Structures are given as C-alpha cells and as structure tokens.
Amino acid sequence: MPVLTVWLAGLACMFSTSIVFQILVRPCSNGEGVFFYPQSPKARSIVGKRYRTDYHFQPPKNWINDPCGSMYYNGVYHEFYQYNPNGSYNPNISYNIVWGHSVSMDLINWINLEPAIEPDTPSDISGCWTGSATILSGDQPIIIYTGLLDIQKHQVQNIALPKNRSDPYLREWTKAHNNPVIQPVVPGLNSSQFRDPTTGWIGPDGLWRIAVGAELNGYSAALLYKSEDFLNWTRVEHPLYSSNSSNMWECLDFFAVLPGSGGGLDLSSAIPNGAKHVLKVSMNCTDDMYMIGVYDLKRDAFVPDTVLDDSRLWPRIDYGNFYASKSFFDSKHGRRIIWAWSSETDSSSDDVAKGWAGIHSIPRTIWLDSHGKQLLQWPVEEIESLRTNEINHQALELKKGDLFEIKGIETLQADVEIDFELTSINDADPFDPSWLFDTEKHCREAGASVHGGIGPFGFVILASDNMEEHTDVHFRVYKSQQNYMVLMCSDLRRSSLRPGLYTPAYGGFFEFDFEKERKISLRTLIDRSAVESFGGGGRVCIMARVYPVALVDDIGCAHMYAFNNGSATVIVPQLRAWSMRRAQASV
C-alpha cells in the first residue's frame, strides 16, 4: 500500500515517521472595511468564480440568507429565500429584503425566477422576512411571512397566495387583503422580536396551527395560533413551548418523525401512533438546536422528552456554519428534507468584491434514529447524479503518523466516503463530560497534531503543496462510563493564509457502540469554499466555509489525504471518491 508519511513542523514539509500539524490560531474577525481583493473588474471576476460553489444552492448574484420555505407542488420543487436584489451586502441595513424564488425538478439544478414577495404594502414596507409555505386542502399553496412595519423593526405576520395556480412555476404571488393577519398584541411581548411563522399543521380539532418565535416577558417562546381557513388567526392562551434558555427563538420548525423510519410525515395529515415531534429553534445567530418530544393533543403543547436547562447541551442540527434551517415534506419521495443558510466568513467588503454572499447547504433527508433520541441527516440521493470519475481503495491500513494521498479526482469539487474500522478499543482515552459544554474549545485543544489513543484519524483536504493551507476533518474515540463517545472536528484554523477570516475548529460528539458497530463513517462534500461533512452515518454534521489563497492564486493543486495520528492502527475497509460536476443553473 503506497503510504506517504509526513512530518509537518511549522511551515516546513519533510519526510519522517509521524505526522504533526503545528496549528496556528489566527484571530477571528470579520475584517469590516478591509478590502482584501483587488477591486478591478477582472480581479473581482476571478475571485468570485474561484470561491463560488458549483453544486450548492446560490442565486446568480447578490446576497442570500435564510431559506424562507420550500415545497413540492405539481411536480416542481420551490425554494424561497431571503434575498437582496440590490447587491451582495446585508439588506437589513437598508430594509429592502425580499423573498427570492427558484424552482427545480430535482433539488440540484435550479431555475432562478423573479422575487415572489417584495416590500410594497404597509404591513411589510420595511422588509419581507422569513416564514413558511404550506399546502392546504384543495391543493392550495399559501405563504405566511413576517413583515417589518418600520425601521424600528416592529413585526407582524402576513399571507400571500399564488396569483395563477396553473402556472407551473407559481411566478406571481398576491398578498391577502386582510394583512397583517397576526399582530403582536400579547402582554409582555416584544414587538421587535416576533417572527418566522412555521409551516402549518392540523390539530385534533381539525383547525390549522402555526407557531411564531417570540420574546415573551424576557424569555423564549413559540407562540401558538390556530385558524379554520389560514387567513384569520386566534392566539392560543399558552405557548406551544417556552424556555428561559435565551430571550428569543427565531426560524422555528416543528415537525413529526417516526423512530427508525427514514420516511417523512406530512403535517397536513393524521400523525400515526408512536410518532415523536421535533421543535427546532435558531438562537444566538449561530446555533440551530432541537428538542425531541411529544405533541400533547389534549394540552395542545409540545412536551420534550428531556429538559436541559443549559442550552449548550441541546443537540444541534449541525455543529458548523449552518443557521435558520427549514424543513419540508417531500410528497414525491415521502421524505422530510432540511437545509439552511451558510454565511460567508470573510468580510462584508469581500462580499461586495465577489458580487455574491451566502449559500445554502446541500438538501438533506432528515429522520429519527431507532432509539427515538437523535436526528440523523444525509445528503439527498439526487446529489449523486453529479458524481463522475470514481476511485476506490480497499483494505488500507493507517498506522500512527500515516498519510494516504487520495488521487485521481478533482479535489476542489468532490464527494468522498470513507469507513474507518477500529482494530481495538483498549487505547481509548477517558471522556470528560465537561467537554460537551464547549466542543469547539476541545477541538482546538485536541487538534490533528495532538496524538491520542484512538485518533485523531480522518481527512486532510484542500491542502496546498507545502501544507501551509489545509482543512482537516477528523475523529477521536473516548471511553465514557456507559459507552464510547466519538468527537468529530472540522478544523479550519489553517484553511487559509489570509488574515482576518473566521476560522474556528467546529466539533460535536456522538455515542458509539463498539460491540455493534466497529466502523465509523465519514462523508465529505467539497465544493470550493464549502466543506460539508457527515459523521457516523449522519449523527454529527458540520458545514464549513473556507477561502484558501491557493484557490485564488491558482498555485499548484489541492491535495487530499486520509490520515491517522493516534496510537491505535485504523483500517480503512473502503474509500470511495468522485469528482463532482457543476449543477445547472438557469436565470
């Protein structure tokens, strides 16, 4: 087996018998007001193309952020999203955000349309913020969204309906005459923190329900509303759920799941016995967290299976750059799909130079594990249609310090799947439960250069010739009192030589049953400035953004390696990788 063993000390590169990454921690800053890129049109064009993704969703130009809502209707997937039609800067500064609209037949190749909703009425004159799409009985699509009344950001909820349902793309939408349909007339409610209504669901009384994120008496609340016709709403006296974990939840999502079933459930139909419900909340402008529980029909309330006072311990949809996620039921394939906004982590001035800002994650199928305790996610199968030039390696043995270079594919646009098989569990280091409070801190302290018992092992990707730039995605295995815990890290600290970038070491833990599993899987989708990883069959997902200088300067090529820097030998029974073609986008 050809194995390249490399010692990396500082910025030098030489051969030896072990691998050490001497990671340099760079200051995290958005670099506001600093133009890194030359501002000539030619330079902007080069930069914009080199970092622009080829198969993640983004419109042809300008700024995007949250997915507003998605739906599958009459054979077409619709993606609505927050969009700035005037440039690649944050539109909330100038209060002109709209609902962008794109359509697709396969969730991969998209047609860009004119905005679906724009701020042109008193109830949304300062901006059309996030909401949801629902399909009512009679095959009637409907949108409910947050409108800004003024520059003080007082928020209300509005309705829009398609102007012509016979149009397969639903290009034009008409706002309801009685907007706003929901106003912040609740005692103790902060009217500037009242937004992002969920997709509707039908309760036991046959009435439609939605939840709206709010700050209520200084606490987070999912306010509950019900309606017969989706146009006239009444507030239920108690919230769907509330918590003192923070002062505001936004971008709520509420949906049903069946334990152990990869299929999704349609909220407009009866929910089967044994189903669980998921309440997803976005908070702190960085974290998409969730709770699993039951929807108590008698109380009309969500009851979590476990209540954790410290929100740092709540499970996350994704442990990286993944925010404001939104799910929908795909009736075509009977699955639930989720995706989210992944923001740029260079500067605002860089966004202007590129001419675009923000992407969405790959659409993911999301379901509940057989134990009913954890959500699992995996890229939709349609993404595999872009695969080409497959390479396959089997029965690789990675001893301490080994690097195996993965060649034969386009390493800037790739889909890589690898299984790591543990030969022994005896060398596992002890697990410290306090690490759960700050997994990023632990990933910084236990980086790829730090030898462990079992791990670190994983990938090195987007590596320059001399390894001055590289991103690594790796695992470590620890022994807890009850079981084994696996730490997955996506370490960006040496992803670029550029100063002023936000380059964290993201991380998350998942439980591992060595007696039943033995193998730990890793799948990573590389798409220029996007690195999206799925560990342990989708138990931990990490979306990341990177900006290697070599990618812009076209210096050498980007290398990719499988590596092991733990004391225990790791077997790779199978490694498969593909180059990824560019998705088709039409304007």
Side-chain angles (χ1 to χ4, degrees), residues 447-469:
S449 65
V450 180
H451 300 292
I454 303 177
F457 55 85
F459 284 144
V460 178
I461 58 176
L462 297 173
S464 58
D465 291 339
N466 60 6
M467 290 290 249
E468 285 185 303
E469 293 185 320

Side-chain angles (χ1 to χ4, degrees), residues 511-526:
E511 293 186 8
F512 179 71
D513 189 338
F514 179 72
E515 297 301 324
K516 294 181 179 179
E517 299 183 78
R518 291 189 176 264
K519 294 179 185 177
I520 301 174
S521 69
L522 175 60
R523 182 179 182 184
T524 295
L525 294 164
I526 304 158

Side-chain angles (χ1 to χ4, degrees), residues 343-534:
S343 63
E344 304 302 310
T345 53
D346 49 4
S347 71
S348 298
S349 53
D350 291 337
D351 295 343
V352 174
K354 291 181 304 211
W356 55 268
I359 66 172
H360 287 175
S361 65
I362 292 296
R364 307 170 178 181
T365 303
I366 186 168
W367 69 101
L368 186 61
D369 71 3
S370 58
H371 302 292
K373 295 181 178 180
Q374 183 175 21
L375 293 176
L376 306 177
Q377 299 166 76
W378 201 249
V380 293
E381 60 183 13
E382 288 89 336
I383 195 68
E384 297 172 14
S385 66
L386 300 178
R387 288 173 168 176
T388 186
N389 301 330
E390 179 182 358
I391 62 169
N392 195 319
H393 296 282
Q394 296 179 343
L396 304 178
E397 184 180 66
L398 297 178
K399 297 179 181 178
K400 180 180 179 180
D402 282 348
L403 277 171
F404 176 81
E405 184 162 12
I406 303 167
K407 298 180 178 181
I409 60 169
E410 170 54 73
T411 53
L412 299 179
Q413 291 173 220
D415 184 357
V416 187
E417 295 186 8
I418 185 169
D419 290 332
F420 297 96
E421 184 174 339
L422 307 182
T423 57
S424 171
I425 206 72
N426 297 329
D427 293 326
D429 296 319
F431 173 70
D432 184 345
S434 69
W435 294 336
L436 294 171
F437 290 92
D438 194 343
T439 53
E440 289 189 18
K441 178 176 182 290
H442 187 54
C443 281
R444 293 193 300 270
E445 295 173 345
S449 65
V450 180
H451 300 292
I454 303 177
F457 55 85
F459 284 144
V460 178
I461 58 176
L462 297 173
S464 58
D465 291 339
N466 60 6
M467 290 290 249
E468 285 185 303
E469 293 185 320
H470 63 265
T471 296
D472 63 81
V473 185
H474 64 263
F475 297 114
R476 288 176 179 269
V477 181
Y478 295 100
K479 178 69 173 73
S480 69
Q481 291 184 349
Q482 292 80 24
N483 212 328
Y484 293 92
M485 299 291 290
V486 177
L487 172 67
M488 176 177 164
C489 299
S490 183
D491 193 339
L492 316 184
R493 288 178 293 169
R494 287 193 62 187
S495 60
S496 178
L497 293 175
R498 288 183 53 195
L501 299 176
Y502 179 52
T503 54
Y506 297 120
F509 281 97
F510 63 90
E511 293 186 8
F512 179 71
D513 189 338
F514 179 72
E515 297 301 324
K516 294 181 179 179
E517 299 183 78
R518 291 189 176 264
K519 294 179 185 177
I520 301 174
S521 69
L522 175 60
R523 182 179 182 184
T524 295
L525 294 164
I526 304 158
D527 191 5
R528 297 187 173 269
S529 64
V531 176
E532 193 165 358
S533 299
F534 302 81

Side-chain angles (χ1 to χ4, degrees), residues 95 126 148-155 190-193:
Y95 306 100
S126 291
L148 268 65
L149 296 178
D150 46 44
I151 60 174
Q152 283 76 39
K153 298 185 179 180
H154 294 130
Q155 296 159 19
N190 182 346
S191 63
S192 66
Q193 301 278 32

Side-chain angles (χ1 to χ4, degrees), residues 140-200:
Q140 171 66 64
I142 193 166
I143 282 172
I144 185 165
Y145 69 98
T146 296
L148 268 65
L149 296 178
D150 46 44
I151 60 174
Q152 283 76 39
K153 298 185 179 180
H154 294 130
Q155 296 159 19
V156 294
Q157 315 312 319
N158 299 305
I159 289 289
L161 299 105
K163 187 174 182 179
N164 179 11
R165 279 197 283 169
S166 64
D167 174 8
Y169 292 168
L170 302 179
R171 291 175 176 89
E172 296 182 81
W173 291 74
T174 301
K175 298 174 184 178
H177 64 86
N178 62 325
N179 280 340
V181 296
I182 301 177
Q183 300 196 48
V185 286
V186 181
L189 175 64
N190 182 346
S191 63
S192 66
Q193 301 278 32
F194 175 62
R195 58 182 175 270
D196 310 335
T198 64
T199 301

